């Protein structure tokens, strides 16, 4: 009887060990599948990071070029503003001169009318 119990216990342990081995194999297989999936995702992530770096460099280049254009346009605008001010000053001087000549002409005309009554 004791032999039968020992044999049953031994069989039960063998069965449990076999089930544990089978479960461990399943877990190992699942772990390998998960590792493959992880490796694939890491690879995709690396590719995307490279794409992001490429786009970042492109954007930095575009920003740098835009800053150069902005600086150039600012210089052009400042030059135009300066030229406009100079021309406004010249125009003001010309208007004053025109008014002075006009007043002088008017006074000559008036004097001529006084001298030569028609």
């Amino acid at each position: 009887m004791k032999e039968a119990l020992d044999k049953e216990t031994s069989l039960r342990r063998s069965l449990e060990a076999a089930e544990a081995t089978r479960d461990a194999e399943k877990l190992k297989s699942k772990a390998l599948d998960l590792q493959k999936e992880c490796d694939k995702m890491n690879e995709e992530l690396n590719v995307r990071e490279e794409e992001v770096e490429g786009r970042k460099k492109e954007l930095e280049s575009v920003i740098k070029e835009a800053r150069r254009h902005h600086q150039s346009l600012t210089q052009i605008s400042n030059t135009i503003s300066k030229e406009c001010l100079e021309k406004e000053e010249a125009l003001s001087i010309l208007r004053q001169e025109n008014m002075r000549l006009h007043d002088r002409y008017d006074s000559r005309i008036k004097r001529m009318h006084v001298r030569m009554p028609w």
Side-chain angles (χ1 to χ4, degrees):
M1 180 81 140
K2 184 174 178 174
E3 286 180 25
L5 282 176
D6 287 343
K7 195 166 191 172
E8 183 185 340
T9 303
S10 174
L11 287 173
R12 196 175 292 143
R13 285 184 186 159
S14 293
L15 181 62
E16 288 174 355
E19 287 175 354
T21 302
R22 187 188 62 194
D23 290 347
E25 289 295 323
K26 283 182 182 178
L27 289 174
K28 185 177 178 183
S29 175
K30 201 172 203 178
L32 287 173
D33 290 345
L34 288 173
Q35 184 62 46
K36 286 179 186 176
E37 192 175 332
C38 236
D39 291 343
K40 184 178 175 184
M41 289 177 148
N42 279 333
E43 200 173 303
E44 288 176 10
L45 182 62
N46 288 338
V47 168
R48 288 186 180 158
E49 284 177 345
E50 289 174 8
E51 289 174 357
V52 166
E53 278 300 314
R55 288 180 186 154
K56 182 180 174 185
K57 287 179 182 177
E58 287 176 23
L59 285 174
E60 287 171 348
S61 174
V62 168
I63 289 170
K64 189 175 182 180
E65 187 175 342
R67 285 184 178 146
R68 268 191 315 106
H69 284 296
H70 178 265
Q71 186 178 18
S72 176
L73 289 173
T74 300
Q75 289 174 345
I76 291 169
S77 174
N78 290 341
T79 301
I80 289 172
S81 294
K82 183 179 175 185
E83 289 175 359
C84 282
L85 285 174
E86 290 171 354
K87 288 180 180 182
E88 284 176 2
E89 289 174 5
L91 184 60
S92 176
I93 291 169
L94 288 173
R95 282 185 178 137
Q96 290 172 0
E97 182 66 16
N98 188 30
M99 291 293 285
R100 190 181 63 75
L101 290 173
H102 188 271
D103 289 346
R104 200 165 109 194
Y105 176 76
D106 274 353
S107 67
R108 280 188 183 171
I109 296 277
K110 286 178 185 174
R111 275 185 283 168
M112 285 179 74
H113 280 295
V114 169
R115 287 186 200 156
M116 300 174 146
W118 299 96

